[in-house]
Amino acid sequence: MASPIALARTLLVALCAAVLAFAPVQAQQGLTVSTTVSWTWEEVGGDDHAAVFDDEAALFDDDPLAEDADMAATRRYAPSETLATLGRARAHYGPFAVIDAATVRMAGDVTSATPRQFAAMLAAFPGLKRLEMVDCPGSLDEEANLILARAIRRAGMETVVPSGGSVRSGAVELWLAGTTRRAASDAEFGVHSWADDTGREANDYAASDPVHAEYLGYYREMGMDDAKARAFYALTNSTPFDEVRYLTRDDMARFVTLH
């Protein structure tokens, strides 16, 4: 017959084994996995502090965006090979890369920090007048997006979607902000309805609801007459938030003047 001490030891060992066996299951139940997509840059050569992408090809890899459909609409097609040769940038500010004294390229989402980054860039490079929108998925902060759009307009910038370029979702509003607008024949514009924090989309609200006034007012501010503003707003909202409708350069020319 085992002694009380030996019996206690046996029970203690059994208890520890049970705890260890159960612990991983509990840990798995509470596990949260998150994925972060980031843009990386590398300073290179000389005293001019030029900057290039650490991996330029990664800039145009749509896989990170495609994995998270709620983040932004994905591209319709693979970007043209010419976009993979961006060349050197003199400086970078969030999604912006300053190419020369007059030109800045944009690739990436608008966040709450982007308007401040844009302001800092203009303070450092006041001669910037051309915004090339290379691969712009949209906005993670709609209020910041409209602030940025109006800042682009105040700066008197030309907005350009180059050959193979793509602007989607809230980035279309940024392109509309240009004092002059250009787009290559193969540029793509992806639009869809907005959705609020509760998941309600534009068409879930009555046509008379004041919630629509902000967008209609913005489109008129950017040069559309009332009829075109309403038509464009209706077009974007005809596609659900989690889908995307692609428009061409000619489609956009129905609503605004292109140069």
Side-chain angles (χ1 to χ4, degrees), residues 18 32 78 81 110 143 149 211 218 220 230 232 256-257:
T32 299
E81 294 181 1
V110 173
E143 181 179 0
V211 72
Y218 174 77
R220 288 191 290 263
R230 291 182 180 278
F232 185 71
V256 293
T257 301

Side-chain angles (χ1 to χ4, degrees), residues 97-252:
V98 178
I99 304 305
D100 56 41
T103 307
V104 56
R105 288 193 178 113
M106 183 178 183
D109 293 296
V110 173
T111 70
S112 59
T114 310
R116 296 192 299 273
Q117 293 164 339
F118 182 80
M121 178 181 69
L122 286 187
F125 298 91
L128 291 172
K129 290 300 177 184
R130 177 183 172 90
L131 175 61
E132 295 183 354
M133 305 181 72
V134 176
D135 192 2
C136 304
S139 170
L140 304 181
D141 184 326
E142 190 60 17
E143 181 179 0
N145 196 64
L146 292 179
I147 291 172
L148 175 61
R150 291 184 170 99
I152 291 171
R153 173 56 66 97
R154 286 195 303 272
M157 288 188 129
E158 173 188 51
T159 51
V160 181
V161 184
S163 179
S166 175
V167 296
R168 287 96 71 195
S169 192
V172 175
E173 272 74 49
L174 300 183
W175 177 80
L176 289 172
T179 52
T180 59
R181 311 173 190 92
R182 300 182 189 276
S185 59
D186 63 343
E188 72 172 14
F189 299 83
V191 299
H192 60 132
S193 173
W194 55 263
D196 63 20
D197 293 341
T198 68
R200 297 179 69 191
E201 300 187 15
N203 289 332
D204 293 326
Y205 291 86
S208 59
D209 196 294
V211 72
H212 303 296
E214 183 173 21
Y215 285 96
L216 291 172
Y218 174 77
Y219 296 142
R220 288 191 290 263
E221 188 180 335
M222 295 302 128
M224 296 184 192
D225 61 30
D226 186 66
K228 288 182 178 179
R230 291 182 180 278
F232 185 71
Y233 186 61
L235 175 65
T236 62
N237 292 327
S238 66
T239 300
F241 175 73
D242 58 356
E243 298 178 18
V244 60
R245 176 173 182 170
Y246 286 99
L247 306 176
T248 65
R249 180 191 189 281
D250 290 342
D251 291 328
M252 297 305 296

Side-chain angles (χ1 to χ4, degrees), residues 9 34 46 51 54 58 82 86 90 146 192 210 254 259:
R9 288 176 177 171
S34 61
D54 183 46
T82 58
L86 287 179
R90 295 175 60 180
L146 292 179
H192 60 132
R254 294 166 46 204
H259 298 84

